[in-house]
Amino acid sequence: MRYFDYLSAEETERVFHVSPAPFSNRSEKEKLAHAIGAALYMPATRTTIAEDLRSGKHKGLTSIVIDLEDAVGDLKVEEAEASLIAQVHTLDQWIKEGQMDEESLPLIFVRIRTPEQAEHMMEQLGCAVLRLTGFVFPKFNTQTGDRYLQMLRRYNESRPEGSPVLYGMPILESSDILYLETRLETLLGIKQLLDRYREYILNVRIGATDFSSLFGLRRKPDMTIYDIGVIRDCVTDIVNIFGRANQGYVISGPVWEYFKSDRVVKPQLRETPFLETAGPAGLRLRMQYINKYVDGLILEVEMDKENGIVGKTIIHPTHICPVQALYTVTHEEYMDAAHILASSGGEIGVVKSGYDNKMNEIKPHLNWARRMMIRSEIYGVLNENQNFTALLVN
């Protein structure tokens, strides 16, 4: 699996200064944690998942979450479980028979309801569980969370030699996290729990839809989650506890749920980036994204990144390309990061950037530079004359 592998060799050379590197569920954990990108949710009742993945139906797809929780009605759980098991077994069979290339398989996660359901699914999947990258744990807390993580540890300590690690991704979305009077104690308790199982925690994910429901709120399609005060404050505290550079986890942003709606606020996409990349065709593309309400998504992803969040839950295939294009590293960011790292030997404290537009302070910007380099390996580095819109017009 490699980001933007749908580009031709000529297009890749034109767009990228450093091309994205390949990865799989066997990749090193830190790289894999940043590589989840736009994770597309699919209800487990969907019977075409295997065929959709084999045919490459969704351009640019690198991560999926097969959902047994909110996307499945309570009366359809057994049907959903049977469907999921059948789909994963089909993928496993196709790969073994050479009908599907293992390297083209996206990262596959399963969102489950209970620890008991997770154990049941693993038992039913058997050896096909190797096709999974991990489980997503909804409404995570210290009680059920410990049981989830004990299950992961048991599996990983007894898994076949050479097989990939099975990871967990807790979702923080419950009332004791959102409500101010219980937030700090709850977050610290979860942090202590995750630290005990750190080697198996791939992402910490934020469930802002469940948070919003506790106050009867829902952001409009031309707003971001950061415009809802109580959610913004909670996200800030989650980043404060889990996102510290010296001991932090990779934090993934909340779902964007719109793909068409009525507009109230002015469009939030500037014309210049689209015009510079593709001229009139770029402007037409800009209007397509505005009409589909992807401009709100683009703004929210930019806000995610500014707050140290990488990765996004999505519910529609049209969100894949814009989200992942935004995770690419610009040439300026890459040059600054490389300069900072090269100057970190202790002889230099501050230096003017290669773009002559800022000062790079070596110690304060060192952690930022390291993060840029991880992102640059996974999502690539754009050429000097390119921006993220170059990946939307191809």
Side-chain angles (χ1 to χ4, degrees):
M1 183 60 57
R2 181 173 62 84
Y3 275 96
F4 315 114
D5 60 359
Y6 51 84
L7 298 177
S8 68
E10 293 77 12
E11 289 169 334
T12 300
E13 185 176 0
R14 175 175 57 82
V15 172
F16 284 105
H17 175 72
V18 177
S19 298
F23 63 92
S24 72
N25 65 348
R26 299 175 184 272
S27 296
E28 178 264 331
K29 177 175 174 281
E30 184 179 35
K31 180 178 180 180
L32 194 58
H34 286 81
I36 295 174
L40 179 64
Y41 267 53
M42 298 180 179
T45 50
R46 185 171 176 178
T47 59
T48 61
I49 292 175
E51 183 55 43
D52 290 347
L53 297 185
R54 181 168 68 166
S55 66
K57 178 180 179 180
H58 302 307
K59 176 182 173 181
L61 181 67
T62 57
S63 303
I64 68 167
V65 178
I66 306 176
D67 192 3
L68 284 166
E69 202 223 2
D70 285 345
V72 175
D74 292 342
L75 301 179
K76 295 287 186 177
V77 174
E78 289 188 9
E79 176 185 329
E81 290 177 348
S83 178
L84 186 153
I85 292 165
Q87 296 300 306
V88 177
H89 274 297
T90 297
L91 289 169
D92 183 58
Q93 181 179 353
W94 284 344
I95 290 171
K96 289 177 177 177
E97 294 177 350
Q99 298 183 48
M100 183 177 182
D101 185 359
E102 184 176 9
E103 293 183 359
S104 69
L105 189 69
L107 305 179
I108 301 175
F109 300 89
V110 176
R111 184 161 81 157
I112 53 180
R113 293 181 171 224
T114 64
E116 293 79 11
Q117 186 183 49
E119 292 181 341
H120 171 67
M121 297 303 294
M122 290 174 66
E123 180 181 341
Q124 294 298 309
L125 287 171
C127 293
V129 75
L130 300 179
R131 306 306 171 191
L132 302 184
T133 304
F135 287 106
V136 178
F137 305 135
K139 300 172 179 62
F140 192 85
N141 59 45
T142 54
Q143 289 75 45
T144 59
D146 195 34
R147 295 168 60 198
Y148 281 133
L149 298 177
Q150 285 181 32
M151 174 205 68
L152 272 186
R153 175 172 285 171
R154 286 195 301 271
Y155 170 80
N156 283 303
E157 289 180 347
S158 63
R159 74 182 191 275
E161 184 178 355
S163 62
V165 174
L166 193 66
Y167 293 102
M169 297 198 299
I171 309 180
L172 308 185
E173 55 185 348
S174 56
S175 61
D176 53 356
I177 295 172
L178 182 61
Y179 293 162
L180 186 60
E181 65 270 24
T182 53
R183 182 182 306 159
L184 182 58
E185 179 182 359
T186 303
L187 288 177
L188 290 175
I190 292 174
K191 174 68 162 52
Q192 290 173 1
L193 174 61
L194 296 186
D195 285 348
R196 286 165 37 203
Y197 298 90
R198 189 183 184 93
E199 62 190 304
Y200 306 128
I201 306 302
L202 202 56
N203 269 190
V204 173
R205 305 185 76 83
I206 299 174
T209 302
D210 278 46
F211 280 159
S212 299
S213 73
L214 294 169
F215 284 88
L217 303 174
R218 186 178 192 177
R219 71 185 179 285
K220 293 180 179 179
D222 40 16
M223 299 289 177
T224 75
I225 203 65
Y226 299 95
D227 293 309
I228 301 180
V230 290
I231 312 301
R232 179 194 60 236
D233 292 348
C234 185
V235 170
T236 299
D237 288 342
I238 290 172
V239 173
N240 195 316
I241 298 296
F242 292 95
R244 302 177 189 186
N246 62 337
Q247 57 180 354
Y249 293 82
V250 175
I251 304 172
S252 184
V255 66
W256 181 263
E257 58 196 17
Y258 291 100
F259 46 90
K260 188 175 182 181
S261 189
D262 294 327
R263 180 172 297 283
V264 176
V265 178
K266 288 176 62 177
Q268 301 178 75
L269 285 180
R270 292 174 56 241
E271 292 185 356
T272 306
F274 290 86
L275 188 62
E276 290 177 344
T277 301
L283 293 181
R284 290 192 293 272
L285 177 68
R286 172 181 174 270
M287 287 308 303
Q288 292 176 22
Y289 279 113
I290 287 172
N291 291 337
K292 294 178 180 177
Y293 275 80
V294 181
D295 60 319
L297 168 62
I298 289 173
L299 178 59
E300 185 164 295
V301 172
E302 290 286 10
M303 293 292 291
D304 286 343
K305 292 194 304 181
E306 288 299 304
N307 284 279
I309 292 172
V310 178
K312 196 76 170 168
T313 298
I314 60 171
I315 48 82
H316 199 273
T318 57
H319 299 162
I320 297 171
C321 288
V323 170
Q324 295 179 167
L326 288 163
Y327 292 144
T328 56
V329 175
T330 67
H331 186 268
E332 180 176 348
E333 289 172 329
Y334 180 75
M335 297 305 293
D336 281 344
H339 200 179
I340 289 165
L341 290 169
S343 304
S344 62
E347 296 180 357
I348 301 174
V350 62
V351 63
K352 184 173 66 173
S353 76
Y355 273 67
D356 292 332
N357 61 353
K358 70 178 80 64
M359 297 304 293
N360 289 327
E361 296 186 65
I362 307 306
K363 288 183 178 179
H365 292 139
L366 190 58
N367 288 326
W368 170 86
R370 288 169 177 157
R371 287 187 174 185
M372 284 298 106
M373 286 305 186
I374 294 172
R375 259 182 48 204
S376 69
E377 182 181 1
I378 299 160
Y379 300 99
V381 179
L382 298 172
N383 275 320
E384 187 172 2
N385 61 338
Q386 300 287 355
N387 60 56
F388 77 98
T389 63
L391 293 162
L392 305 182
V393 297
N394 286 292

